[in-house]
Amino acid sequence: MTSNRLIYLPLGGAGEIGMNCYVYGYGPEGKERLIVVDLGVTFPEMSGSPGVDLIMADITWLAERADRVEAIFITHAHEDHIGALGLLWPRLKKKVYARRFTATIGRLKLDEAGLPADTITTVEPRPTVIEAGPFKVQFVPVSHSIPESSALIIDTPAGRVFHTADFKIDPDPVVGEPWDDAAIAAIAAERPIKALMCDSTNVFSVHPGRSESSIREPLREFIAGAGGMVVATTFGSNVARLRTLAEAARAADRSICVLGRSMRRMLSASEQAGVMSNFPRTVSPEEALEIPRRNLMLLVTGSQGERRAASAQLSRGKYLGLELKAGDTFLFSSKTIPGNEREVLRIVNALSEMNVDVVDDCGGKYHVSGHANRPDLEHVHRLLLPDMLIPMHGEHRHLREHVKIAHQAGIAAEIATNGMMIDLTGETPQVVEYIETGRVYLDGSTLIGAMDGVVRDRIRMALNGHVMVTVILDESDEPLGEAWVELSGLPQVGRGDRALIETLEGDLSEFLDGAGAKVLRDDNKLDEALRRVVRQVCVEEIGKKPEVTVVVSRLQAE
């Protein structure tokens, strides 16, 4: 008789923050029935992925086993958990389950991708149970920085798994459901927790997390005391923060104008899903132009320095007719995600040049995190008393520190990064297989593999420049005229103030005049020789070894 096993496999989000995609399986080895938790994205940066729009997990392993996938579960509507739904779903084509607000956002993404919106089934939280093969799944309300965030109870014949997704302990989150200690403890009392998959983002933050409601008064005082127009940016999905900012604006007799498609969409979705009502009235950009600056506040996208977002556009000048002026105030009610510092500072400095007062979160005075800090994580460990713990949603250092905390509490734990398949069946977690994982890029409207070479070539051209060489040969394989050259991303002048193009064309023509028949007849040999000449000349003239494209055109005898 074949024994069954319970496995866990992160394809994204483990060993990094973002791009969440997790797989659970139960059944005979190699024949497990599977469920997927989250299909998220992460965002590119110019140094490593220039020109790329989005990055997501490579689900090739999963797609090859699509016939064994029972369902997809989305825990909440942050982009790093739902952003790849419209892009990756066609490779799996399985039913998607999510709560109302998350389903509303998911349907918008499917509609944009031209996919059927009824792919998503809206489900109610626990005690509602979704049966998917050998799995019984319940959505558990948890507090986070977006409405209707949920942990998952995943019941299997091998035991109960608690997948926290992103969460914080917040008894008063302003919008959304509060954290409920009693409800969480009841889950473990109902059936022991075999494995806890736990958010690790803030494991190094040693103080207990703070409630979203704790910044309500500081924001009211700040906006009431600000002069000129006030502009505030935060994560567009943090509708609780948007509400707090808007209410503070109204208390200061300021009208509110929302700039940024993603922010407007989140507000609309939260009202449509019934998670927020009575948001203060907003005005259009056209109406805002008629309002005195001291009576206006803009809520804008772009807290992470995104180049096309409203914050960046305002820092470069007018946006929809609105502009910042000396004496205005710009508030970052957000924390800069590591890796985005340069882009945010670019906006800060541009605003400073306008004599705009820029204020950041002031050490937490105007922002609180949506993730549980170390004492909160330890509290959840005690509430659930799991047999084993697998940290997730964190860089390797976060996972390693979380494992240390678990071991100190006597809980078996294992570091599982992307591609590490963990067997949860026994008393301790065991790494049983390593799956080849990677990243997929959305480049324009096309999905490309990170190892396909497209972005690598783009980086090489950016670093080294590009030279195109064109040569025409007649029917006798003799050069017809001289070679000509086009440069991209290279200096126009080399040593001795000589034009680089002229130097290259001269040396290439000289080479062609002296080349033997064997080279001139063979496209591969000619291509290689011309590349070598170009690179040698460029190293001597400008100290660079550029990328080279050679185009050889041969005239055919009639």
Side-chain angles (χ1 to χ4, degrees):
M1 178 178 176
T2 304
S3 60
N4 295 323
R5 65 176 184 172
L6 172 62
I7 59 170
Y8 162 73
L9 172 65
L11 295 177
E16 64 190 345
I17 294 176
M19 205 178 78
N20 293 277
C21 180
Y22 308 96
V23 181
Y24 291 92
Y26 180 80
E29 181 177 343
K31 299 180 180 179
E32 297 90 352
R33 303 305 297 176
L34 308 169
I35 60 171
V36 183
V37 176
D38 292 335
L39 289 171
V41 298
T42 191
F43 296 95
E45 33 80 30
M46 282 300 293
S47 60
S49 46
V52 169
D53 296 279
L54 292 172
I55 302 173
M56 63 213 76
D58 184 348
I59 62 165
T60 298
W61 183 91
L62 197 57
E64 289 172 349
R65 295 158 179 80
D67 61 324
R68 288 162 45 192
V69 176
E70 299 284 353
I72 301 165
F73 297 86
I74 306 295
T75 60
H76 63 284
H78 273 149
E79 287 296 296
D80 61 333
H81 292 259
I82 197 175
L85 180 62
L87 298 164
L88 297 182
W89 182 85
R91 300 188 67 190
L92 302 176
K93 296 183 178 177
K94 301 298 177 180
K95 185 170 285 190
V96 179
Y97 295 94
R99 294 185 63 197
R100 185 170 287 104
F101 177 78
T102 307
T104 300
I105 298 298
R107 290 190 183 101
L108 289 172
K109 293 187 176 296
L110 291 172
D111 184 63
E112 288 175 351
L115 299 172
D118 60 3
T119 293
I120 300 183
T121 298
T122 300
V123 297
E124 296 299 318
R126 172 179 163 83
T128 299
V129 176
I130 302 98
E131 295 195 18
F135 302 95
K136 295 181 179 179
V137 181
Q138 300 174 63
F139 284 78
V140 181
V142 295
S143 48
H144 186 38
S145 55
I146 194 170
E148 291 193 343
S149 289
S150 297
L152 298 179
I153 297 171
I154 304 172
D155 280 312
T156 76
R160 169 168 282 187
V161 174
F162 192 94
H163 182 104
T164 70
D166 297 359
F167 78 98
K168 67 180 293 186
I169 295 179
D170 190 343
D172 185 10
V174 180
V175 174
E177 297 135 321
W179 177 267
D180 187 339
D181 264 8
I184 299 299
I187 292 167
E190 179 183 270
R191 187 183 185 191
I193 304 299
K194 182 170 187 62
L196 171 62
M197 276 58 184
C198 197
D199 182 0
S200 305
T201 310
N202 283 356
V203 69
F204 289 109
S205 298
V206 297
H207 300 292
R210 293 162 54 228
S211 171
E212 179 68 29
S213 61
S214 69
I215 61 173
R216 184 184 284 130
E217 285 307 312
L219 283 172
R220 279 178 176 254
E221 293 173 5
F222 173 78
I223 292 171
M229 183 171 69
V230 174
V231 181
T233 186
T234 188
F235 298 99
S237 58
N238 193 342
V239 295
R241 185 70 48 76
L242 296 177
R243 180 171 196 150
T244 298
L245 287 164
E247 290 175 345
R250 292 305 305 138
D253 194 29
R254 291 179 182 270
S255 297
I256 303 132
C257 180
V258 178
L259 300 179
R261 178 170 170 264
S262 62
M263 191 174 283
R264 293 196 306 272
R265 180 157 68 172
M266 282 291 176
L267 288 172
S268 175
S270 64
E271 292 179 350
Q272 182 181 338
V275 298
M276 183 177 67
S277 58
N278 302 319
F279 189 84
R281 178 182 175 274
T282 62
V283 299
S284 68
E286 293 78 16
E287 291 172 313
L289 290 170
E290 305 301 321
I291 297 171
R293 304 182 75 78
R294 65 181 180 279
N295 297 120
L296 180 64
M297 184 172 84
L298 309 181
L299 293 176
V300 302
T301 54
S303 66
Q304 299 306 303
E306 299 94 326
R307 184 167 180 78
R308 289 179 289 184
S311 293
Q313 303 226 38
L314 285 169
S315 76
R316 295 194 292 267
K318 287 187 178 182
Y319 180 56
L320 299 179
L322 295 161
E323 61 180 322
L324 285 152
K325 295 181 179 179
D328 289 341
T329 301
F330 194 105
L331 170 66
F332 283 88
S333 183
S334 56
K335 182 179 180 180
T336 301
I337 296 172
N340 294 338
E341 294 90 350
R342 183 178 299 175
E343 288 75 14
V344 172
L345 280 174
R346 186 178 292 117
I347 291 175
V348 170
N349 282 311
L351 294 172
S352 180
E353 290 175 10
M354 299 177 182
N355 291 317
V356 171
D357 295 324
V358 181
V359 179
D360 63 16
D361 72 327
C362 289
K365 189 174 183 180
Y366 304 126
H367 174 70
V368 292
S369 174
H371 297 269
N373 290 355
R374 183 185 188 119
D376 308 319
L377 295 172
E378 293 171 331
H379 177 70
V380 172
H381 299 172
R382 292 190 293 269
L383 282 177
L384 292 173
L385 296 173
D387 294 340
M388 62 184 77
L389 182 147
I390 310 294
M392 62 178 185
H393 203 284
E395 297 168 359
H396 194 279
R397 62 193 180 97
H398 297 98
L399 308 185
R400 185 167 178 264
E401 186 68 15
H402 205 161
V403 164
K404 287 182 181 179
I405 294 171
H407 285 162
Q408 290 167 6
I411 302 171
E414 181 67 64
I415 297 174
T417 56
N418 296 339
M420 292 175 62
M421 183 185 291
I422 307 294
D423 188 341
L424 306 174
T425 315
E427 295 183 0
T428 59
Q430 301 291 327
V431 180
V432 291
E433 193 173 345
Y434 292 89
I435 305 302
E436 185 174 340
T437 57
R439 297 181 162 208
V440 171
Y441 297 149
L442 176 64
D443 193 54
S445 59
T446 304
L447 293 178
I448 59 173
M451 304 305 292
D452 288 358
V454 175
V455 173
R456 180 195 62 212
D457 289 347
R458 190 175 294 163
I459 292 171
R460 285 167 58 180
M461 283 190 285
L463 292 173
N464 302 314
H466 181 259
V467 176
M468 174 174 282
V469 177
T470 303
V471 173
I472 299 177
L473 301 178
D474 63 18
E475 299 91 334
S476 303
D477 297 321
E478 292 293 328
L480 188 63
E482 296 183 341
W484 72 87
V485 168
E486 296 177 52
L487 304 179
S488 297
L490 289 169
Q492 298 297 309
V493 176
R495 295 171 59 188
D497 291 330
R498 293 177 297 183
L500 181 57
I501 285 181
E502 292 179 7
T503 303
L504 283 167
E505 289 179 344
D507 281 40
L508 287 167
S509 296
E510 184 179 335
F511 165 77
L512 290 170
D513 289 342
K518 286 186 177 180
V519 172
L520 294 174
R521 287 198 201 104
D522 189 320
D523 282 354
N524 291 331
K525 289 181 179 178
L526 183 57
D527 183 290
E528 182 182 344
L530 293 173
R531 287 173 187 270
R532 189 164 55 246
V533 171
V534 169
R535 286 179 175 150
Q536 182 177 341
V537 171
C538 285
V539 168
E540 292 173 354
E541 292 290 320
I542 60 172
K544 299 285 287 186
K545 188 180 289 186
E547 300 300 302
V548 182
T549 299
V550 175
V551 178
V552 176
S553 297
R554 295 182 182 274
L555 300 180
Q556 300 295 323
E558 294 182 0

